[in-house]
Amino acid sequence: MDYSILIKDVTKKYSELTAIDNLTLNIEKGKIFGLIGPDGSGKTTLIRMIASLIKQGSGSINVANLDNIKDYKAIRKIIGYMPGKFSLYQDLTVEENLKLFATIFNTDIKTNYHLIEDIYSHLEPFKDRPAGKLSGGMKQKLALSCSLIHKPEILLLDEPTTGVDPVSRRDLWQMLIKLKNFGITIVVSTPYMDEASLCDEIALMQTGRALSVNTPQEIIDNFSNNIFSISGQSNYLLLNALKSFSPDYLVYPFGETLHLISPENKSDKEGLESYLNSQKFLEFKIEQIKPTIEDCFINLMSRNTGAVNDK
């Protein structure tokens, strides 16, 4: 298997805070790899280390056969990096920003225009507008265009869909899937669990560790517990009651319902119904369901004190 990025036994600390904790990941060439997890899980720190912007405390990071510390100058020529915060020149126009980045990488807009054509078509009507006056979605498209103008081997995107509208989120993912067809390895971080299914492979991140590394479907297939969707007149009262049902069960709000995960290989729908009846709940619905990535993540968080690698 051909890998673009090899991360081995990497740890990064800030004073007493461990941002990345003995992490090992292999990211396959030409794939979309997702770093999925909440704020504080280490996603940004990891992407910045891959981009050679900060050094790890221990361990090694190999990017396209280059060491992220010794070969940082060479790495910066072959990656595209889009930080979580918009960082382009806000007083320059859309077109001026794009020309500037092309010049920095000793190329021109026409050479790699096929990479950004679909993206830039949205920006064309605003090419003379200062970047600082663009909407959130348009800023995102401009930042992505600038990170692609030199046709990088690896594209690093740090939470690119945070704070943008649903249409822009959808457009971005459609663009990423098209970019993969050009052989670009894409590493994208996101706190949105629903975006995990759009990646070829994901790492579920928590406190600097990978709780699980696999394809989204394989993570779901490896879920061995039974899971139930429960709803009633008052989900708040149901939640409090179910928390007292058994310490072996995990229950949490999920949209307009509650999700309850039973102990492994144990199904006790009748027991749940009997218990809720005994607690004087007259109207409720219990349905066994298939897990989502978010269910898998919550279950892994509840039972793992260390990292787990499914491969």
Side-chain angles (χ1 to χ4, degrees):
M1 195 172 290
D2 194 4
Y3 293 105
S4 284
I5 302 170
L6 299 172
I7 300 164
K8 185 177 181 181
D9 302 329
V10 167
T11 295
K12 175 66 177 178
K13 294 184 178 181
Y14 296 99
S15 298
E16 300 301 318
L17 174 66
T18 300
I20 298 294
D21 190 1
N22 195 36
L23 181 67
T24 294
L25 286 177
N26 296 328
I27 299 176
E28 193 174 347
K29 187 175 182 179
K31 302 291 185 180
I32 300 178
F33 190 96
L35 301 172
I36 315 295
D39 292 345
S41 58
K43 305 186 303 297
T44 295
T45 296
L46 182 58
I47 284 182
R48 287 175 63 82
M49 287 191 295
I50 294 171
S52 77
L53 297 175
I54 58 175
K55 298 178 181 179
Q56 64 270 27
S58 61
S60 64
I61 299 177
N62 184 287
V63 181
N65 296 318
L66 299 168
D67 184 86
N68 73 312
I69 296 175
K70 293 187 296 183
D71 304 316
Y72 70 93
K73 289 184 179 179
I75 285 175
R76 293 177 187 179
K77 293 179 181 178
I78 62 167
I79 64 168
Y81 172 56
M82 182 174 162
K85 183 179 180 181
F86 184 71
S87 57
L88 300 183
Y89 294 94
Q90 303 208 29
D91 54 339
L92 296 183
T93 66
V94 167
E95 190 171 36
E96 287 170 341
N97 266 290
L98 199 56
K99 286 182 177 179
L100 173 64
F101 275 80
T103 302
I104 289 171
F105 286 100
N106 196 29
T107 185
D108 57 68
I109 296 176
K110 292 181 180 179
T111 301
N112 296 314
Y113 187 72
H114 62 285
L115 283 177
I116 65 168
E117 185 174 6
D118 290 345
I119 310 169
Y120 197 71
S121 64
H122 297 273
L123 289 164
E124 184 76 29
F126 311 103
K127 65 180 183 179
D128 296 322
R129 180 177 296 183
K133 294 185 178 181
L134 295 172
S135 67
M138 288 300 171
K139 285 181 178 178
Q140 171 208 64
K141 290 179 176 65
L142 176 58
L144 183 57
S145 297
C146 289
S147 66
L148 286 168
I149 196 61
H150 60 300
K151 194 179 181 180
E153 294 181 31
I154 298 167
L155 181 62
L156 305 173
L157 306 176
D158 188 13
E159 297 196 1
T161 58
T162 299
V164 299
D165 61 273
V167 173
S168 294
R169 283 179 62 188
R170 182 199 63 200
D171 288 346
L172 176 89
W173 279 99
Q174 289 176 345
M175 294 169 192
L176 296 186
I177 292 168
K178 288 182 180 179
L179 287 172
K180 188 181 74 167
N181 296 329
F182 291 101
I184 298 173
T185 302
I186 301 169
V187 181
V188 56
S189 71
T190 177
Y192 301 123
M193 294 290 166
D194 60 313
E195 294 182 352
S197 62
L198 302 172
C199 302
D200 297 307
E201 192 172 22
I202 61 173
L204 296 178
M205 301 286 295
Q206 177 68 9
T207 59
R209 300 172 180 173
L211 300 179
S212 183
V213 183
N214 218 319
T215 68
Q217 189 57 53
E218 285 173 330
I219 288 176
I220 291 173
D221 291 343
N222 289 338
F223 189 93
S224 57
N225 301 68
N226 288 301
I227 181 169
F228 300 93
S229 174
I230 304 173
S231 59
Q233 288 183 321
S234 174
N235 284 345
Y236 174 75
L237 295 177
L238 274 173
L239 178 64
N240 288 332
L242 289 167
K243 283 181 177 179
S244 302
F245 176 63
S246 170
D248 296 327
Y249 285 73
L250 177 65
V251 59
Y252 48 93
F254 196 96
E256 297 182 351
T257 67
L258 305 176
H259 280 191
L260 182 142
I261 299 176
S262 71
E264 194 165 329
N265 298 321
K266 183 177 181 180
S267 178
D268 196 16
K269 182 178 179 180
E270 292 182 359
L272 287 167
E273 291 174 341
S274 176
Y275 171 74
L276 291 177
N277 283 322
S278 73
Q279 298 297 305
K280 310 302 182 185
F281 287 95
L282 301 178
E283 294 184 19
F284 58 85
K285 181 180 179 181
I286 301 177
E287 180 183 6
Q288 188 164 350
I289 59 172
K290 294 182 179 181
T292 65
I293 284 290
E294 187 168 351
D295 293 313
C296 296
F297 182 72
I298 291 172
N299 189 48
L300 285 166
M301 279 191 2
S302 72
R303 66 181 176 84
N304 283 275
T305 56
V308 175
N309 192 328
D310 289 345
K311 286 194 169 182

